[in-house]
């Protein structure tokens, strides 16, 4: 369900992209050091966005270093890490574990059950450090699972579960910025869930899986309706973002919120349009 909250590289300055990449590499390094390779392969650009957001808001000092890795085996590349990198790593493990178990329950994907087993110790340790957030994530995924089993057609209800999960993750601490961070996370989470559903319609229909868009797929102007819904989610998310007093990383963050999140959408819609024209 991840891979939507990314930069639009073509519209980003080289300097900003290098900075963005250094946070991503720092996040990847943090996952490896805390959880080993099994944690490292869960790295996502979505959580890199959260690191940049919280770093810019709370103006935390970065630890800058260089390293080599499988992706860059010959030349050292810069990495940036701070306390939010550690937090994002923990949240990433929680989400990955729960989603693996959810995929096992929904589709009986054996490899997902196996991977959840590999992550179990890391998951237990992380849950102990963030028990309140782990409980919220678990409860909301269970609620989502029940709604999907019943075939709930209300988009706000089903997407709201994942919105609540991201809302809890974005709220790093209880302070004056909590409300806006929660609102950002809530609408971004709804966007991620609905974008994922939009992309997977054909696959879900073929496999007999729940998808909230299947019941309205044949309606006139369906694709335009989906676009308007997704646009509304990101408008609310961006409105909350603009209330935050962020001075650092703003060009990168705005690139993601106003442009990057639409890269995958344009690819999916373009592919679907081509399929319809060739049908």
């Amino acid at each position: 369900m991840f891979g939507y909250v990314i930069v639009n590289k073509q519209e980003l300055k080289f300097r900003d992209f290098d900075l963005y990449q250094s946070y991503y590499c720092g996040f990847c390094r943090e996952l490896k050091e805390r959880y080993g390779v099994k944690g490292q392969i869960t790295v996502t650009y979505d959580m890199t966005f959260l690191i940049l957001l919280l770093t810019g808001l709370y103006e935390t000092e970065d630890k800058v270093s260089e390293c080599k890795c499988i992706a860059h085996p010959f030349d050292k590349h810069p990495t940036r890490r701070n306390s939010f990198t550690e937090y994002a790593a923990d949240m990433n493990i929680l989400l990955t574990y729960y989603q693996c178990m959810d995929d096992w329950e929904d589709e009986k994907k054996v490899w997902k059950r196996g991977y959840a087993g590999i992550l179990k110790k890391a998951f237990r340790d992380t849950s102990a450090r963030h028990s309140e957030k782990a409980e919220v994530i678990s409860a909301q995924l269970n609620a989502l699972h029940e709604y999907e089993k019943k075939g709930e057609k209300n988009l706000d209800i089903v997407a709201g579960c994942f919105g609540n999960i991201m809302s809890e993750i974005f709220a790093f601490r209880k302070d004056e910025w909590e409300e806006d961070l929660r609102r950002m996370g809530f609408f971004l989470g709804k966007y991620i869930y609905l974008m994922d559903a939009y992309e997977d319609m054909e696959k879900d229909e073929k496999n007999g899986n729940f998808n909230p868009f299947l019941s309205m797929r044949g309606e006139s102007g369906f694709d335009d309706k989906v676009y308007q819904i997704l646009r509304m989610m990101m408008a609310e998310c961006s409105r909350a973002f603009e209330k935050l007093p962020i001075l650092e990383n703003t060009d990168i963050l705005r690139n993601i919120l106003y442009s990057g999140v639409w890269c995958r959408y344009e690819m999916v819609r373009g592919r679907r349009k081509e399929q319809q024209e060739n049908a």
Side-chain angles (χ1 to χ4, degrees), residues 135-197:
E135 288 174 7
V136 170
I137 295 171
S138 176
Q140 289 300 317
L141 282 176
N142 287 336
L144 178 58
H145 184 67
E146 290 301 314
Y147 287 134
E148 291 179 344
K149 278 204 308 186
K150 291 188 291 187
E152 177 61 58
K153 296 181 181 180
N154 188 310
L155 297 179
D156 283 328
I157 291 177
V158 290
C161 292
F162 200 74
N164 289 332
I165 289 172
M166 296 302 289
S167 173
E168 185 65 28
I169 290 173
F170 269 51
F172 177 72
R173 59 169 66 118
K174 298 183 183 301
D175 59 13
E176 58 190 311
W177 313 122
E178 180 185 8
E179 183 178 348
D180 289 325
L181 285 171
R182 283 190 178 277
R183 189 167 180 82
M184 263 196 81
F186 178 71
F187 284 104
L188 185 61
K190 290 181 74 174
Y191 174 88
I192 291 170
Y193 180 87
L194 293 172
M195 184 60 228
D196 184 69

Side-chain angles (χ1 to χ4, degrees), residues 190-230:
K190 290 181 74 174
Y191 174 88
I192 291 170
Y193 180 87
L194 293 172
M195 184 60 228
D196 184 69
Y198 181 62
E199 181 173 10
D200 288 349
M201 277 195 309
E202 288 82 6
K203 183 182 74 173
D204 287 337
E205 184 176 41
K206 180 180 177 181
N207 296 332
N209 297 328
F210 170 83
N211 188 303
F213 286 130
L214 288 179
S215 62
M216 54 187 289
R217 185 182 179 187
E219 296 178 7
S220 176
F222 166 73
D223 290 298
D224 290 333
K225 289 178 183 177
V226 173
Y227 173 68
Q228 291 303 323
I229 292 170
L230 293 172

Side-chain angles (χ1 to χ4, degrees), residues 82-103:
N82 55 46
S83 58
F84 301 119
T85 314
E86 299 172 5
Y87 173 72
D90 284 348
M91 294 300 103
N92 206 57
I93 291 296
L94 288 180
L95 280 173
T96 302
Y97 178 84
Y98 281 126
Q99 289 198 316
C100 282
M101 292 302 296
D102 190 57
D103 285 343

